[in-house]
Each structure stands twice: as structure tokens, then as C-alpha cells.
Amino acid sequence: RGFPMEADTSLFTTLPNLGLYHWREGPEVEKHINDPMVIAKLQEAARTNSRAAYASFAALHNSLVKGSSLRGQLDFKPPRQYGRAPIPLEAVEPASEIVKRFRTGAMSYGSISMEA
């Protein structure tokens, strides 16, 4: 048996917080993308299906990405700034033709499933 018959269940209601994964605030603390406010806004947007709540989440998340990841510090310029024009949609091969060249050995089944 794993537990005695009359075990003290109050010992198992919560886990101790050793502070290893505890959110810390302050000027000397490194920034993280998963800020508690960002998570709260994402949950609010998911629960209420609100565009305004999602916009609030996206703005907070994007500001944190800029300050805490290399991806957020990259600045992509539009093709016109390089003296190039975007490819017209009519010049792009249709998806029905591209799919014919796919080989499942080089792809995950998740990417080619009906839900994808």
C-alpha cells in the first residue's frame, strides 16, 4: 500500500513553493515572455472570445517579445525598400499542384492531417 489507512491528507493539499519557479518583479530581474499579465489576458481572450481582449494580449506579448528574444529584435523591411516588387498572386503555383510533390517520409503526419 502506498499510504497508510489513516493518512494525514492535509500534507498533500499543496506543494511547497521553493521559489525556483516563482514570478519575481524588479529592475534587476530578467524579462520573460510568459508574464502573468500576458497569461491573464490570453485566458480572458480565450474565455470571452473578445477581439479587444485578444488585442490587449497581443500588444503585451509583442512588447515582451521585443525585449526578451532575438526574434523580437529583428526588423523586417518590405520588399519595396529593397527595390523589389512582391510576386503577384497569379504567378504563384496553385496549392493543388504543390501538394502533388509532397512526400510523407519528409513530413510529420501532423502537418498533413485533415485538421492542418
Side-chain angles (χ1 to χ4, degrees):
R1 294 189 172 209
F3 297 101
M5 294 301 287
E6 297 181 18
D8 182 11
T9 57
S10 66
L11 296 174
F12 308 109
T13 57
T14 61
L15 295 173
N17 181 358
L18 302 177
L20 298 175
Y21 302 105
H22 185 76
W23 178 259
R24 293 176 177 88
E25 292 185 68
E28 296 182 15
V29 177
E30 66 184 47
K31 291 185 178 187
H32 292 275
I33 293 176
N34 294 331
D35 180 276
M37 183 56 74
V38 172
I39 300 300
K41 290 295 181 183
L42 176 60
Q43 290 173 340
E44 178 187 348
R47 288 181 182 134
T48 62
N49 199 24
S50 164
R51 286 185 183 269
Y54 181 79
S56 177
F57 155 73
L60 283 170
H61 177 71
N62 290 339
S63 69
L64 286 171
V65 166
K66 286 184 179 184
S68 60
S69 73
L70 182 59
R71 172 188 63 165
Q73 296 173 20
L74 296 175
D75 187 22
F76 296 100
K77 297 179 181 176
R80 295 195 199 303
Q81 285 188 332
Y82 295 106
R84 298 181 177 205
I87 299 171
L89 194 55
E90 296 78 30
V92 177
E93 188 176 1
S96 60
E97 295 300 315
I98 296 172
V99 172
K100 292 177 184 177
R101 296 191 301 269
F102 284 0
R103 300 288 184 260
T104 59
M107 301 174 71
S108 70
Y109 287 112
S111 66
I112 58 172
S113 67
M114 293 300 290
E115 294 85 17

